[in-house]
Amino acid sequence: MASRSDSIRRSPLETLLASELPAEGGEIALKGKRYVMRDGILRSHSSHSATQAQTQGTYAYLWSKLELEGDARSFQEAWFEQHFPGWRAEVSKLAPAGSRVLDAGCGAGWSALAFFGEHLRNVAYIGADISTALERAAENFRNMAMPGNFVQESLTQLPFSPASFDFIFTPGVLHHTDSVKTSLKQLAELLVPGGKLLLWVYRKQPPLREFADRLIRNHLAKLTDEEAFRDLMPLTRLGDALGRLNVDVDVPEDIPVLGIPKGRINLQRLVYYYFVKTFYNDSLSFERANMQNFDWYRPLNAHTSTLEEVQQWCALAGLTVEWHLTTPSGISALARKK
């Protein structure tokens, strides 16, 4: 393809693709697939599995309801400190200035804006997502005058060549693909040797939680997004009622068959971690709390993993896990490409 004038600087996305992007409404062939430029976003014509298509619709709906401001932004930043303690302060070491950064499953861009902050101005940021949520990401980046390029595509079908990125950022995403193992392997191929990948995935839950998750998820699968959102409200109200009690209980001894350890625990947390997820956070509105439950229960692709599985899949993908953290809800890891 003929290059544009040397006086016009290519965008990071054009550099990575080694192609000039089409004008609005125009199309381009990349790795044998057709992409169209619409609303400033490069979008694929790909078809997806039924579960991925359902996930795509779920997050298009969810992110259309959310705004990155006030309590929501504070919640996102606090989430990172809980699951990646201290790493936000080290972001310039994870992705030094000039790094090519892939936000794999960027959603509305909240995670990147909360994690990278002003450092986004120092890197070549590419946000990729299967859903139209990345339209909100592009808008959020524009509103904050942050540079970024966006591609609407499945994470397993991205149009980039191997060794294209220095850092891949994918917290809370891989469990929503058809296979955590396969998605991790394909993303790892996009890293340069020595490149890093930061992930967070759902952790395997105790047996009654796993049962309740499947039961509720299968029920919601029969409903529209609006109906599912409404159906979750009683569950969210239960979480709110339990949380407002603010009482602790003493579990007198381990209950191995249910995965419940002995010790003192808040009643809402006991129900949340071991019986049924009933989200509660006193800094968030009821609707925002209901969105958290929707985020958990609505996607059909919502795989849970063990730390041992994550470590094994990283090894198979040619990644060395350099740091990890396991909490009741998930597994965080920083891995380096060999």
Side-chain angles (χ1 to χ4, degrees):
M1 176 179 291
S3 62
R4 62 176 64 178
S5 169
D6 291 340
S7 64
I8 302 177
R9 185 180 177 184
R10 279 187 165 187
S11 71
L13 182 56
E14 289 176 310
T15 300
L16 283 164
L17 297 174
S19 297
E20 181 180 339
L21 294 177
E24 183 70 16
E27 294 195 353
I28 186 174
L30 297 168
K31 298 181 73 173
K33 296 173 59 179
R34 303 299 300 179
Y35 289 79
V36 62
M37 181 66 72
R38 189 167 70 248
D39 298 327
I41 296 171
L42 194 64
R43 305 171 192 257
S44 79
H45 290 298
S46 298
S47 59
H48 308 292
S49 70
T51 50
Q52 276 296 87
Q54 190 268 354
T55 300
Q56 179 182 23
T58 293
Y59 284 98
Y61 172 84
L62 179 65
W63 290 114
S64 72
K65 298 177 71 68
L66 290 171
E67 297 291 340
L68 181 59
E69 57 187 26
D71 58 0
R73 187 182 182 98
S74 298
F75 173 79
Q76 189 71 54
E77 292 172 347
W79 186 92
F80 276 117
E81 286 308 310
Q82 177 185 0
H83 296 285
F84 298 94
W87 285 110
R88 289 174 64 228
E90 300 291 323
V91 66
S92 63
K93 295 180 182 178
L94 289 174
S99 293
R100 297 161 297 174
V101 173
L102 173 64
D103 187 354
C106 66
W110 285 23
S111 293
L113 290 166
F115 188 82
F116 292 94
E118 288 296 313
H119 189 59
L120 282 169
R121 304 186 191 283
N122 304 322
V123 300
Y125 172 90
I126 307 295
D129 202 276
I130 194 173
S131 81
T132 54
L134 83 176
E135 295 171 2
R136 293 295 302 275
E139 179 184 353
N140 287 333
F141 270 59
R142 284 194 302 270
N143 290 342
M144 300 186 70
M146 288 293 182
N149 295 113
F150 299 90
V151 178
Q152 186 176 356
E153 177 62 287
S154 166
L155 300 189
T156 59
Q157 301 179 52
L158 294 172
F160 304 109
S161 299
S164 288
F165 293 96
D166 304 293
F167 185 72
I168 295 179
F169 179 71
T170 185
V173 175
L174 298 181
H175 45 240
H176 292 313
T177 65
D178 285 335
S179 167
V180 176
K181 177 182 177 181
T182 300
S183 298
L184 183 58
K185 183 178 185 298
Q186 293 181 321
L187 285 179
E189 292 174 357
L190 301 180
L191 278 175
V192 299
K196 299 174 183 176
L197 183 147
L198 195 72
L199 66 85
W200 184 85
V201 293
Y202 293 150
R203 182 187 179 188
K204 195 79 171 176
Q205 296 298 299
L208 292 183
R209 257 296 305 271
E210 290 276 350
F211 173 80
D213 289 347
R214 287 193 301 271
L215 180 71
I216 296 171
R217 198 167 281 126
N218 290 338
H219 165 71
L220 297 181
K222 307 168 188 175
L223 308 178
T224 66
D225 288 327
E226 286 288 351
E227 290 169 341
F229 192 81
R230 288 196 301 270
D231 259 36
L232 285 170
M233 288 182 177
L235 189 66
T236 303
R237 292 191 184 98
L238 173 61
D240 185 71
L242 291 171
R244 291 181 184 280
L245 287 175
N246 195 27
V247 297
D248 292 344
V249 295
D250 287 305
V251 179
E253 58 185 293
D254 292 342
I255 311 174
V257 69
L258 299 181
I260 302 175
K262 67 176 295 186
R264 193 168 184 82
I265 185 172
N266 179 272
L267 177 61
Q268 188 271 334
R269 295 282 92 181
L270 177 67
V271 173
Y272 178 97
Y273 286 135
Y274 300 104
F275 296 96
V276 59
K277 178 168 180 171
T278 55
F279 184 84
Y280 171 73
N281 186 301
D282 61 4
S283 69
L284 299 182
S285 67
F286 173 80
E287 183 176 28
R288 184 69 175 82
N290 201 56
M291 290 177 189
Q292 288 297 123
N293 281 330
F294 183 91
D295 177 52
W296 175 260
Y297 289 114
R298 181 57 170 167
L300 291 177
N301 274 348
H303 309 294
T304 57
S305 307
T306 65
L307 174 60
E308 292 72 24
E309 286 174 328
V310 171
Q311 291 173 320
Q312 179 186 22
W313 296 335
C314 281
L316 290 173
L319 299 169
T320 300
V321 176
E322 298 189 329
W323 171 88
H324 63 81
L325 174 68
T326 299
T327 65
S329 58
I331 299 165
S332 311
L334 174 67
R336 182 188 296 270
K337 181 74 173 288
K338 297 176 183 177

